[in-house]
Amino acid sequence: PAQRHLFSEAAEVGAVRGALLAWYDSCKRDLPWRALAANEPDVDRRAYAVWVSEIMLQQTQVATVIDYYNRWMQKWPTLQALAAASLEEVNELWAGLGYYSRGKRLQEAARKVVSELAGRMPRTAEELQKLLPGVGRYTAGAIASISYGQATGVVDGNVIRVLCRLRCIGADSSSPAVLARLWDMANVLVDRSRPGDFNQALMELGATVCMPKAPLCEECPVKQHCHARRRRLLGSCPTVPDVEDCGKQLAWGCPCCSSAYGPTVTFALVFAGVGDCPLCPPATEPWDSSLGVTNFPRKAAKKQPRVARTATCVLEHRGRRGAPRFLIVQRPSSGLLAGLWEFPSLPLALGLQEEKQREALADHLRAWTGRPVAAGGLQYVGEVIHIFSHIHQTYVVYSLPVDEDVTLDPALSPWRWVTEEEFHASAVSTAMKKV
Ligand code: SF4
């Protein structure tokens, strides 16, 4: 790729490292896993603490993770403690955090470290990725750089955004070719003496300054090195009316931009674009001046989520004394929401009329309980929408009061009666809590 997309000058690499680390030292957020990574003297415990945080932070906001992380580390402060826990306990603590297979895989990997590696965490990014199930290149790099000080870069969503903006990378940032370049760049940039802090600084910058929609460029510690920002400023320069022609125009100079941000030739090189450059935006999607730096990164259009409908029935038993109880059943041990508990549910064909939905659910409950269930006895409560990453799910909710305990065939699914309080403490998904 062209030089304009790389960090090829040692002086600039040093300046970016210095500026980012100084900013991180004064502005970093106080987070529980950072305290453990800094203060835990036992290297295996330290790596475990970082590993748990990295798995929880995948797909989940920091603010949400903090409470889960503290409870997790209190309950299972070591790999050994986690390895000895039951999957049910793991699911219960994970409930509400989403992407439930993460907790299960974390525990499986902890068991592997305890049983096959004598409780010793692999000591390099390469080994972590090779030996631990569920640990990919990013997580391995984060654990190794933060816990062991290995000088290895990391690339996550925040880093992708920052690097694409710093170097005007406008090709599809989810493509393997672009990702490979970003990994190369992260490995070049990472500070050799403080790799863990540098990686966290880059991610922190993406999370708190170089945000997806409204980046705070004027507060950015690396703004002097940011080509997207220069491009935005150039776009508003009154002497350069058509920025797409900037390469040609700036060859003979742009007085206001060049005096403010460096030699004109830099702009010409950075923004002229090269027809077949693998990292430039495609010719069909030129710079949109209304977007500014958020022109970068670019991604291929996302696939539309699949639409699904599920009928679900809240079976409620009101005893003479005590709180009402509700019947919940356990989902299969693989697939979406594996092993979690839910109200008895039935996936519905799309376009089914309400009457048919009700009949299908009544049939299902009849087969499950071995008792007559009249479709007319199901009370329609309403619809609950929950968006999973790839599914737009609508739950059509019914209720059915029952006079005495209903029993289900345990061969079909484990089941139990719970009070409302027990329901919330059980391993149930956020979607079911909405129901
Ligand atoms: Fe991001 Fe703006 Fe900083 Fe560039 S200057 S890295 S776009 S915050």
Side-chain angles (χ1 to χ4, degrees):
Q3 295 297 308
R4 64 185 176 281
H5 294 306
L6 304 176
F7 284 93
S8 48
E9 288 178 23
E12 187 178 30
V13 169
V16 168
R17 288 175 182 167
L20 257 183
L21 284 168
W23 170 80
Y24 183 69
D25 288 340
S26 62
C27 298
K28 68 170 179 265
R29 290 170 293 179
D30 192 10
L31 300 171
W33 45 90
R34 288 188 177 154
L36 278 173
N39 302 323
E40 173 56 61
D42 182 281
V43 70
D44 290 306
R45 280 189 174 215
R46 193 161 69 232
Y48 167 67
V50 173
W51 181 17
V52 173
S53 71
E54 290 300 338
I55 299 292
M56 285 189 173
L57 287 165
Q58 286 167 10
Q59 328 274 354
T60 311
Q61 300 285 328
V62 167
T64 309
V65 166
I66 291 174
D67 179 47
Y68 282 88
Y69 182 79
N70 286 335
R71 283 191 287 127
W72 182 287
M73 295 306 291
Q74 206 168 12
K75 189 161 183 160
W76 302 303
T78 62
L79 282 160
Q80 289 73 10
L82 177 59
S86 72
L87 178 59
E88 187 68 16
E89 287 176 295
V90 169
N91 279 339
E92 279 175 11
L93 202 148
W94 203 276
L97 203 52
Y99 298 91
Y100 295 89
S101 60
R102 293 181 296 170
K104 182 180 172 193
R105 282 214 308 261
L106 182 55
Q107 196 208 23
E108 284 167 1
R111 284 185 170 163
K112 180 173 179 182
V113 176
V114 171
S115 63
E116 296 176 25
L117 307 175
R120 188 177 185 274
M121 287 285 285
R123 290 288 194 265
T124 64
E126 295 71 23
E127 294 240 295
L128 285 160
Q129 191 179 348
K130 195 168 98 190
L131 296 176
L132 298 187
V135 172
R137 189 175 181 185
Y138 163 77
T139 309
I143 297 172
S145 61
I146 299 169
S147 314
Y148 310 144
Q150 184 183 346
T152 184
V154 294
V155 173
D156 73 343
N158 283 321
V159 174
I160 289 172
R161 184 167 59 258
V162 174
L163 294 182
C164 285
R165 288 176 180 170
L166 285 174
R167 282 302 177 260
C168 278
I169 294 174
D172 177 4
S173 65
S174 61
S175 74
V178 173
L179 283 171
R181 293 295 173 193
L182 294 172
W183 274 101
D184 290 346
M185 203 184 292
N187 282 324
V188 166
L189 279 178
V190 66
D191 188 84
R192 274 29 188 181
S193 57
R194 296 178 60 193
D197 284 345
F198 179 86
N199 286 338
Q200 291 184 89
L202 201 52
M203 292 188 276
E204 186 97 336
L205 188 77
T208 62
V209 176
C210 193
M211 293 168 291
K213 293 207 175 107
L216 308 170
C217 295
E218 296 320 302
E219 295 173 22
C220 177
V222 290
K223 64 185 177 192
Q224 298 301 339
H225 306 277
C226 181
H227 289 177
R229 178 172 168 272
R230 285 186 193 174
R231 177 70 159 91
R232 175 171 62 76
L233 293 169
L234 179 63
S236 61
C237 167
T239 62
V240 187
D242 181 353
V243 292
E244 290 311 313
D245 292 334
C246 64
K248 290 165 235 157
Q249 295 204 18
L250 287 174
W252 48 265
C254 168
C256 67
C257 292
S258 59
S259 60
Y261 297 104
T264 354
V265 68
T266 307
F267 295 118
L269 285 172
V270 170
F271 304 129
V274 176
D276 56 357
C277 172
L279 297 181
C280 272
T284 50
E285 294 171 37
W287 169 269
D288 177 345
S289 56
S290 69
L291 296 177
V293 298
T294 65
N295 271 280
F296 307 102
R298 293 190 189 184
K299 271 191 195 162
K302 241 185 164 181
K303 265 198 351 204
Q304 286 297 315
R306 177 165 65 82
V307 173
R309 285 176 75 78
T310 295
T312 190
C313 186
V314 181
L315 285 144
E316 182 180 346
H317 170 230
R318 288 187 178 272
R320 287 209 188 94
R321 290 193 306 272
R325 294 188 300 152
F326 306 93
L327 186 81
I328 56 174
V329 296
Q330 191 171 28
R331 291 181 60 84
S333 58
S334 60
L336 183 71
L337 307 176
L340 297 194
W341 294 78
E342 65 183 7
F343 298 115
S345 299
L346 174 72
L348 295 169
L350 294 182
L352 211 59
Q353 287 184 335
E354 205 277 322
E355 197 184 328
K356 297 281 179 202
Q357 287 177 178
R358 188 187 290 263
E359 279 171 16
L361 182 60
D363 283 349
H364 184 63
L365 292 171
R366 210 172 293 136
W368 220 338
T369 60
R371 297 154 52 109
V373 177
L378 293 170
Q379 289 171 14
Y380 176 74
V381 178
E383 297 195 349
V384 169
I385 293 172
H386 188 78
I387 314 288
F388 295 98
S389 57
H390 55 300
I391 302 172
H392 185 288
Q393 173 76 63
T394 301
Y395 292 97
V396 187
V397 185
Y398 294 88
S399 73
L400 182 66
V402 287
D403 294 333
E404 55 193 275
D405 284 7
V406 169
T407 56
L408 300 191
D409 180 354
L412 292 173
S413 170
W415 58 276
R416 64 181 204 246
W417 287 96
V418 289
T419 62
E420 189 173 347
E421 201 177 72
E422 288 164 344
F423 173 83
H424 284 287
S426 300
V428 291
S429 66
T430 304
M432 266 308 122
K433 285 186 180 167
K434 282 191 196 169
V435 168

